[in-house]
């Protein structure tokens, strides 16, 4: 097998791998942002996320906040 | 051929986080809820006495009663599972980033070490600076300040952990005593930064035994969460590595 026939194939595989890697890191970043929003909702929200209806998230997760040491009223 | 390792790690983080959150949630439902119910009854007694002393107009309106206590018991387990899933995602992303050179290697010892570091960074260190308080402690007027302090403590814990690791990795060629002293010095600086944060401003008018028991159960729930997380995350990683022939040789530490 000559180097000339192998090189383009390797290039394609490498660029495909780069595309996959970029896509996967974008998915991971989106997942991390969602995770931070979820943690905010459970541990920090004081009626901002569902402000029209009251402090529902805070009261529902109330015991969890106390238990895991998050500041609570 | 190297397929990207991030997505399998994310999947493992979600499974391990869900299991860990469920375990911690059920543990605290059984052991911590009786204490929280007692603390709330004591608080109601306190505010009833205050009401008696100062007149009803000045009564402390603490719990709005949006949900019954039994709903809040369920909310504890839901909150623990959601927190476990979210922490699992963040753990997986951090794990993939730190181990990006060889993400499939030695999954079991790495999962244990990384989980222990995560426990220190987000559970133990913030918990030592701002220990958990049972219901009835916490002034609604100071909650914003206390949240900022708590987030600062978590940030110092996480950044401190990365800093300590960086020092340890960068000094790998130096003599061991130099390396260890540098790591210890970094840890002391991180701890000093943590304890230079202002104190929790709220009074804690709670029976000392109840307070101690509650804080022990809080730390216990954190520890259980990370222990279950480590076992599931590491176990799934080990299984995946053993299924891939290329990675199987690296699944357990080998010293050639």
């Amino acid at each position: 097998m000559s180097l000339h026939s192998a090189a383009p194939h390797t290039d394609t595989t490498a660029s495909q791998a780069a595309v996959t890697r970029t896509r996967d890191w974008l998915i991971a970043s989106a997942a991390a942002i969602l995770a931070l929003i979820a943690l905010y909702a459970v541990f920090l929200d004081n009626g901002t996320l569902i402000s029209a209806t009251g402090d529902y998230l805070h009261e529902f997760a109330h015991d969890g906040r106390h238990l895991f040491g998050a500041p609570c009223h | 051929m190297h397929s990207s390792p991030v997505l399998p790690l994310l999947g493992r983080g979600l499974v391990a986080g869900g299991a860990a959150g469920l375990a911690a949630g059920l543990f605290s439902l059984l052991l911590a809820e009786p204490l929280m119910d007692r603390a709330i009854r004591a608080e109601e007694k306190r505010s009833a006495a205050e009401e008696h002393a100062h007149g009803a107009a000045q009564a402390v309106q603490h719990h709005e009663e949006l949900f019954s206590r039994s709903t809040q018991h369920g909310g504890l387990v839901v909150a623990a599972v959601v927190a476990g899933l979210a922490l699992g995602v963040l753990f997986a992303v951090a794990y993939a980033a730190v181990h990006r050179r060889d993400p499939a290697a030695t999954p079991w010892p790495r999962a244990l070490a990384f989980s222990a570091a995560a426990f220190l960074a987000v559970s133990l260190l913030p918990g030592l600076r701002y220990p958990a308080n049972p219901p009835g402690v916490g002034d609604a007027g100071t909650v914003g300040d206390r949240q900022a302090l708590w987030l600062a403590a978590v940030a110092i814990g996480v950044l401190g952990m990365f800093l300590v690791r960086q020092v340890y990795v960068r000094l790998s060629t130096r003599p061991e005593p130099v390396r260890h002293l540098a790591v210890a010095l970094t840890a002391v600086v991180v701890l000093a930064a943590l304890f230079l944060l202002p104190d929790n401003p709220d009074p804690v008018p709670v029976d000392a035994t109840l307070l101690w028991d509650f804080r022990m159960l809080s730390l216990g729930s954190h520890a259980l969460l990370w222990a279950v997380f480590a076992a599931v995350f590491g176990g799934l990683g080990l299984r995946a590595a053993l299924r891939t022939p290329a990675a199987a040789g690296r699944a357990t530490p080998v010293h050639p």
Side-chain angles (χ1 to χ4, degrees):
Chain A
M1 190 189 263
S2 79
L3 278 173
H4 290 292
S5 65
H9 175 70
T10 315
D11 276 358
T12 320
T13 315
S15 66
Q16 271 171 357
V19 168
T20 310
R21 204 165 49 237
T22 309
R23 186 204 62 186
D24 288 358
W25 278 105
L26 283 175
I27 294 173
S29 309
I33 290 167
L34 281 178
L36 288 173
I37 293 171
L39 286 176
Y40 175 85
V42 172
F43 289 125
L44 296 174
D45 183 63
N46 290 316
T48 315
L49 287 184
I50 317 181
S51 53
T53 47
D55 218 351
Y56 277 92
L57 281 172
H58 186 137
E59 288 300 328
F60 185 66
H62 173 267
D63 289 20
R65 288 186 181 199
H66 277 287
L67 186 84
F68 287 103
C72 214
H73 63 78
Chain B
M1 228 278 300
H2 234 294
S3 74
S4 168
V6 181
L7 295 189
L9 285 172
L10 268 184
R12 273 173 237 158
L14 279 171
V15 173
L22 188 63
L26 294 177
F27 171 83
S28 49
L29 180 67
L30 281 177
L31 296 177
E33 280 296 5
L35 286 184
M36 288 200 256
D37 290 341
R38 250 171 62 203
I40 285 175
R41 282 198 297 276
E43 184 207 5
E44 280 163 359
K45 245 186 240 169
R46 268 202 315 278
S47 71
E50 260 173 58
E51 211 168 306
H52 193 71
H54 302 290
Q58 279 189 309
V60 188
Q61 260 293 313
H62 232 114
H63 290 276
E64 310 253 307
E65 310 293 352
L66 275 173
F67 295 107
S68 69
R69 284 299 297 146
S70 60
T71 306
Q72 286 185 324
H73 288 184
L76 169 68
V77 180
V78 174
V81 171
V82 172
L85 291 169
L87 288 171
V89 167
L90 296 177
F91 181 99
V93 174
Y95 185 98
V98 168
H99 296 309
R100 62 189 173 281
R101 296 236 174 92
D102 194 3
T106 63
W108 181 259
R110 273 182 182 178
L112 298 196
F114 216 94
S115 301
F119 169 70
L120 270 175
V122 306
S123 297
L124 187 63
L125 292 181
L128 287 176
R129 186 64 189 98
Y130 299 114
N133 285 317
V137 180
D139 178 356
T142 62
V143 73
D145 294 341
R146 286 181 290 123
Q147 286 181 332
L149 293 177
W150 188 61
L151 285 179
V154 173
I156 289 176
V158 173
L159 293 178
M161 193 53 62
F162 276 101
L163 200 62
V164 167
R165 186 181 183 280
Q166 279 300 311
V167 170
Y168 186 74
V169 170
R170 291 279 164 95
L171 296 184
S172 59
T173 55
R174 299 299 182 84
E176 269 198 334
V178 174
R179 197 184 190 192
H180 293 172
L181 280 174
V183 165
L185 203 66
T186 314
V188 167
V189 169
V190 170
L191 283 174
L194 190 67
F195 280 87
L196 281 174
L197 288 173
D199 287 337
N200 184 341
D202 290 356
V204 187
V206 181
D207 172 66
T209 309
L210 190 152
L211 186 65
W212 173 265
D213 290 348
F214 181 78
R215 286 176 173 176
M216 283 297 111
L217 282 171
S218 170
L219 273 183
S221 305
H222 276 284
L224 180 68
L225 186 138
W226 288 114
V228 172
F229 188 91
V232 177
F233 193 88
L236 290 174
L238 201 56
R239 197 183 68 157
L242 292 173
R243 279 181 175 176
T244 322
R250 292 180 277 120
T252 46
V254 179
H255 305 289

